[in-house]
Amino acid sequence: MLSKEMEAALNAQIEKEGFASAQYLAMASWAENRGFEGTAQFLYRQSDEERMHMLKLFHYVNDAGGAAISPGVAIPRKDFESFRELFEVILAQEQGVSERINALVSLATEQKDHTTHNFLQWYVAEQLEEESLFRSILDKLKIIGNDGGALYMLDKDLQGNGANKGSKTAP
Ligand code: FEO
């Protein structure tokens, strides 16, 4: 049985994952409208993946005796200065999610809630994978600079990138 504090903390995380899904969707629209087709497809998949993260938490809260709350949708950011800034915002968002997952793990440890601690390990691994993916994209963008041809190739690359990510670890 979840403590009230843990239930509230998990519901707060449900809201964050829901917001991440909305933010990726807004980013997909930004990319699509600027001709970054591959990136747009990649971001649509990320949006779906975040919704899956949200649902996995949602089912867990109900299964563990709490009451999952369907979050309201905060308005995500819809404009970005550049392709590179978009990925900087993504990395910062994912780092923020990782911090909150770590805080949830600490709370589970404090409360000796081994079930929730065990459940959260999937998110710990997922965040490591996501942060690493976005760091590597930003590294490529630093090398590319303003080379339009290289940017075009990166966009093509992203079309296939992450296509199966998540599905192999999906619930
Ligand atoms: Fe579910 Fe990428 O945070």
Side-chain angles (χ1 to χ4, degrees):
M1 185 79 182
L2 293 175
S3 71
K4 282 291 158 203
E5 190 184 358
M6 181 57 84
E7 182 182 350
L10 291 171
N11 268 315
Q13 191 62 26
I14 285 171
E15 189 179 346
K16 300 293 177 204
E17 303 286 350
F19 179 77
S21 178
Q23 182 62 80
Y24 277 119
L25 195 59
M27 288 169 160
S29 180
W30 183 91
E32 197 161 42
N33 285 320
R34 278 157 190 78
F36 296 117
E37 272 304 320
T39 306
Q41 295 311 313
F42 169 72
L43 293 168
Y44 280 126
R45 286 195 300 272
Q46 284 296 126
S47 177
D48 283 349
E49 201 173 301
E50 295 299 348
R51 180 174 161 76
M52 181 272 285
H53 293 177
M54 180 185 79
L55 283 174
K56 196 173 158 77
L57 277 156
F58 202 90
H59 292 310
Y60 176 73
V61 169
N62 278 346
D63 288 348
I69 296 169
S70 178
V73 182
I75 305 290
R77 187 168 158 190
K78 66 178 189 333
D79 210 8
F80 305 91
E81 280 166 31
S82 64
F83 195 71
R84 182 163 160 180
E85 200 223 351
L86 178 115
F87 281 97
E88 284 168 351
V89 170
I90 291 176
L91 180 60
Q93 173 173 284
E94 292 299 342
Q95 285 169 333
V97 170
S98 299
E99 274 174 29
R100 286 188 287 269
I101 295 291
N102 286 340
L104 282 169
V105 172
S106 298
L107 181 63
T109 304
E110 252 171 54
Q111 298 196 342
K112 298 187 172 54
D113 180 347
H114 302 297
T115 313
T116 301
H117 190 279
N118 183 50
F119 168 77
L120 289 169
Q121 296 314 303
W122 183 88
Y123 286 85
V124 171
E126 180 70 11
Q127 282 312 119
L128 176 67
E129 198 181 320
E130 294 208 333
E131 278 195 40
S132 157
L133 170 65
F134 290 114
R135 262 193 215 97
S136 78
I137 294 171
L138 275 168
D139 285 346
K140 283 181 192 147
L141 281 168
K142 276 176 204 149
I143 296 165
I144 287 170
N146 293 321
D147 181 342
L151 204 52
Y152 179 81
M153 292 307 293
L154 177 63
D155 182 60
K156 288 272 160 243
D157 249 29
L158 284 172
Q159 187 140 14
N161 201 320
N164 298 312
K165 195 179 95 57
S167 58
K168 66 180 184 295
T169 46

